[in-house]
Amino acid sequence: MQSFNSISKENLAQRKAVHEICRLFNKSPSKGNLKRIKELCSHCGDGVIIEAGFHCDYGSQMHIGDRTFININCTVLDAPINEGAISIGCDCLIGPNVQLLAVSHAVNPTERLNKENFAAPITIGNNVWIGAGVIILAGVTIGDNAVVGAGSVVTKDVAANTAVAGNPAVRIKDI
């Protein structure tokens, strides 16, 4: 994990601008406002659908593959550094109320006083289905064709072609 200062003047200004774009989209999910959301991303593929309620902090390190569907109320806590990247493959289904949290804080209370954030990338492979209410934590990779059951908290990597569920998410079966 790499640290960064989320309350620096530059990062506060960038987050404020991105939050305004998200607010406008969520208030009026028109094609124009959706285009602004997609332009935040380092890459947003063809046929991507993002439903209202979408929120991200920076967007500049987000990569979304072709034909991915992001359902309502998706929260993406990304970072303006490579280690805070969120990569979502092609043909993914992201359920409602999913949280992708590439940013965290120090567990040690003394270190936490510095208000530094820590970031580690989240990588989601192709053709992944993430059920409603799933939380994916920093540093996790989810392999191609995997399924994450609704309400799961994903703290560790998920192998390709497996189904996981629970808190913490554990392998249920191979698919």
Side-chain angles (χ1 to χ4, degrees), residues 20-135:
E20 180 62 12
I21 291 168
C22 291
R23 186 190 71 74
L24 290 171
F25 171 69
N26 295 326
K27 182 179 177 183
S28 174
S30 66
K31 287 182 181 179
N33 285 333
L34 177 59
K35 182 180 176 185
R36 288 181 194 87
I37 292 286
K38 290 179 175 184
E39 287 173 346
L40 293 171
C41 300
S42 62
H43 172 81
C44 191
D46 293 332
V48 169
I49 297 171
I50 301 173
E51 296 288 345
F54 181 82
H55 174 84
C56 68
D57 274 348
Y58 299 95
S60 59
Q61 297 296 323
M62 283 193 327
H63 177 105
I64 304 172
D66 296 338
R67 300 170 303 280
T68 286
F69 176 81
I70 300 175
N71 212 323
I72 61 170
N73 300 326
C74 182
T75 299
V76 178
L77 295 188
D78 54 332
I81 55 175
N82 288 339
E83 287 74 9
I86 308 262
S87 179
I88 302 169
C90 296
D91 301 302
C92 291
L93 300 171
I94 311 277
N97 301 309
V98 166
Q99 298 177 55
L100 306 176
L101 310 176
V103 177
S104 188
H105 302 283
V107 174
N108 179 299
T110 304
E111 292 175 9
R112 203 168 43 247
L113 288 173
N114 294 330
K115 305 292 189 252
E116 286 287 311
N117 293 71
F118 296 90
I122 293 174
T123 303
I124 299 170
N126 296 315
N127 196 32
V128 171
W129 177 20
I130 299 173
V134 167
I135 299 171

Side-chain angles (χ1 to χ4, degrees), residues 149-173:
S152 297
V153 178
V154 184
T155 61
K156 295 181 181 174
D157 291 352
V158 175
N161 303 301
T162 59
V164 300
N167 181 3
V170 294
R171 184 181 134 329
I172 303 299
K173 65 179 180 177

Side-chain angles (χ1 to χ4, degrees), residues 6 8-24 40 55-58:
S6 66
S8 72
K9 187 176 181 178
E10 177 183 274
N11 285 338
L12 283 170
Q14 184 178 357
R15 250 191 348 271
K16 182 178 179 181
V18 169
H19 289 178
E20 180 62 12
I21 291 168
C22 291
R23 186 190 71 74
L24 290 171
L40 293 171
H55 174 84
C56 68
D57 274 348
Y58 299 95

